[in-house]
Amino acid sequence: MKTILITGGAGFIGSHVVRLFVRKYPEYRIINLDKLTYAGNLANLKDIENEPNYRFVKADICDFDTILALMKEEKIDGVIHLAAESHVDRSIKDPFTFAMTNVIGTLSLLQAAKCHWESLPEKYEGKRFYHISTDEVYGALQLTRPEGDPAGNECGGGPFGDEFFKESTPYNPHSPYSASKASSDHFVRAFHDTYGMPTIVTNCSNNYGPYQFPEKLIPLFINNIRRGKPLPVYGKGENVRDWLYVEDHARAIDLIFHKGKTADTYNIGGFNEWKNIDLIKVIIETVDRLLGNPKGHSLGLITYVTDRAGHDLRYAIDSTKLKKELGWEPQLQFREGIEKTVKWYLENQEWMDNVTSGDYQKYYENMYGNR
Ligand code: NAD
Ligand code: DAU
């Protein structure tokens, strides 16, 4: 019997990880700890909330005393840490919140795990602290290959350059979000190097799929197309991101949590680069088709707006190490993933409307209080 603390489990990726672990490992006890910020939504976990091996705890990772008490009460063996402020645009407006949650919150969680595990007779034996991070800590890459280069993949036209982020790429974060994630990664590694904590860090590319908060590009644009609202494309839409279906990320997390090497780092990505504007056209085509609109119907919603400050040009992850060492590969092809994702948002308009109106928070405030 293992008891695993998953932080940020009411968010986008966290909810997929919680669902996977609760269903796949009935012999584990899964504790989902989440502050339920604007990004946390327990409706993301409705289908598993009554499972006997699942417990939800509303708490802030910065609250060291509460976290330590919970770790002792539940005899936590492993931590999978996803709780974070995750949106780059918000970090540009409010960097303090990002430093607080992502840096101090991670430190508080590390320190609580250290105090709990060091108090046990077996100490760190059989324990693991797994920190989920991002490719954004590596900075930005150049666009060195023109579109249509025969070396590119068949769907997006990528790769758009010869360089990729590898596990050995030096950190060079540009946004307050990525600077806070980089700092938290350093703290995690410092706890291994200084105290011998069995840590592991992974850096993943852009995720997409069901339950993503509609401030992020894909759900925002699907919802805006459905409602006939403008689609704000930052700058010229030339920036490149590497997209991975969220369940493929969750599978990688499961594999690495169980089989990854202690103190190691793994990059996780889809080898699936897209220029924003090309991706947006695929989304428009898919939504229009599924809504029964004529071809090209929503193209006129594209609206070029002022670029994001410090907008990183290209992210591209090299996940060869994960494939070679642990045999992980994405299972879903991009076209299939986008089709599935668009269908999910169109079929779950109530979820989307609750999130955009803020109603989901009122409901859960009654249940857990608004601390
Ligand atoms: P999200 O914003 O959807 O969810 C974050 C969750 O953390 C929410 O449920 C929120 O309530 C919770 N949270 C925030 N502050 C908290 C606090 N102080 N205490 C407890 N809970 C708190 O984020 P996401 O997109 O699911 O990302 C999850 C993790 O994965 C983050 O660490 C992010 O940096 C990382 N990541 C995300 C992506 C991506 O494409 N979304 C890619 C790579 C890495
Ligand atoms: O690379 C991993 C990261 O991916 C994660 O660490 C972050 O948590 C996650 O939010 C995501 O960051 P991005 O900034 O890449 O995602 P976002 O969906 O905000 O934007 C994707 C691209 O689309 C980016 O180049 C900015 C652009 N964009 C975004 C929005 C919201 C637009 O052009 N218009 C928009 O309205």
Side-chain angles (χ1 to χ4, degrees), residues 199-216:
T199 59
I200 202 152
V201 177
T202 55
N203 299 82
C204 188
S205 62
N206 285 61
N207 285 214
Y208 70 98
Y211 301 115
Q212 187 168 31
F213 195 83
E215 62 189 351
K216 309 280 164 56

Side-chain angles (χ1 to χ4, degrees), residues 241-261:
R241 296 291 181 267
D242 168 15
W243 294 93
L244 179 69
Y245 192 67
V246 62
E247 287 179 3
D248 276 324
H249 188 190
R251 280 193 314 103
I253 290 172
D254 174 19
L255 186 66
I256 293 163
F257 180 75
H258 289 97
K259 304 246 170 75
K261 237 190 290 151

Side-chain angles (χ1 to χ4, degrees), residues 102-160:
N102 298 358
V103 185
I104 303 298
T106 300
L107 178 55
S108 144
L109 205 60
L110 283 162
Q111 185 69 5
K114 173 179 177 286
C115 290
H116 167 46
W117 289 337
E118 286 191 352
S119 73
L120 302 173
E122 76 273 20
K123 309 262 182 234
Y124 290 120
E125 181 85 39
K127 308 292 184 288
R128 174 150 278 188
F129 188 108
Y130 180 177
H131 175 62
I132 309 299
S133 192
T134 171
D135 59 0
E136 301 201 11
V137 297
Y138 296 122
L141 298 167
Q142 295 304 311
L143 300 187
T144 51
R145 277 194 193 154
E147 218 163 331
D149 183 320
N153 72 28
E154 23 111 26
C155 43
F160 289 101

Side-chain angles (χ1 to χ4, degrees), residues 37-222:
T37 66
Y38 79 94
N41 182 358
L42 288 174
N44 297 357
L45 290 165
K46 269 234 146 308
D47 53 332
I48 55 104
E49 67 184 4
N50 294 321
E51 294 298 333
N53 63 338
Y54 171 71
R55 176 184 171 195
F56 173 70
V57 176
K58 183 180 176 195
D60 186 334
I61 50 168
C62 298
D63 181 353
F64 172 79
D65 293 340
T66 301
I67 307 292
L68 179 57
L70 179 72
M71 286 200 177
K72 287 186 181 293
E73 178 203 336
E74 288 284 0
K75 302 185 175 59
I76 299 294
D77 303 298
V79 176
I80 303 180
H81 174 37
L82 296 112
E85 288 294 335
S86 67
H87 192 42
V88 174
D89 293 331
R90 285 181 190 256
S91 82
I92 294 167
K93 291 205 184 87
D94 176 20
F96 278 112
T97 306
F98 282 69
M100 188 53 79
T101 292
N102 298 358
V103 185
I104 303 298
T106 300
L107 178 55
S108 144
L109 205 60
L110 283 162
Q111 185 69 5
K114 173 179 177 286
C115 290
H116 167 46
W117 289 337
E118 286 191 352
S119 73
L120 302 173
E122 76 273 20
K123 309 262 182 234
Y124 290 120
E125 181 85 39
K127 308 292 184 288
R128 174 150 278 188
F129 188 108
Y130 180 177
H131 175 62
I132 309 299
S133 192
T134 171
D135 59 0
E136 301 201 11
V137 297
Y138 296 122
L141 298 167
Q142 295 304 311
L143 300 187
T144 51
R145 277 194 193 154
E147 218 163 331
D149 183 320
N153 72 28
E154 23 111 26
C155 43
F160 289 101
D162 303 302
E163 273 189 291
F164 293 84
F165 296 138
K166 295 184 186 302
E167 287 80 359
S168 55
T169 303
Y171 275 27
N172 185 20
H174 297 132
S175 73
Y177 164 67
S178 51
S180 69
K181 290 297 289 187
S183 171
S184 65
D185 296 7
H186 290 317
F187 269 110
V188 173
R189 294 189 179 109
F191 267 62
H192 170 267
D193 296 351
T194 309
Y195 309 111
M197 185 181 282
T199 59
I200 202 152
V201 177
T202 55
N203 299 82
C204 188
S205 62
N206 285 61
N207 285 214
Y208 70 98
Y211 301 115
Q212 187 168 31
F213 195 83
E215 62 189 351
K216 309 280 164 56
L217 181 78
I218 291 183
L220 175 75
F221 277 37
I222 294 172

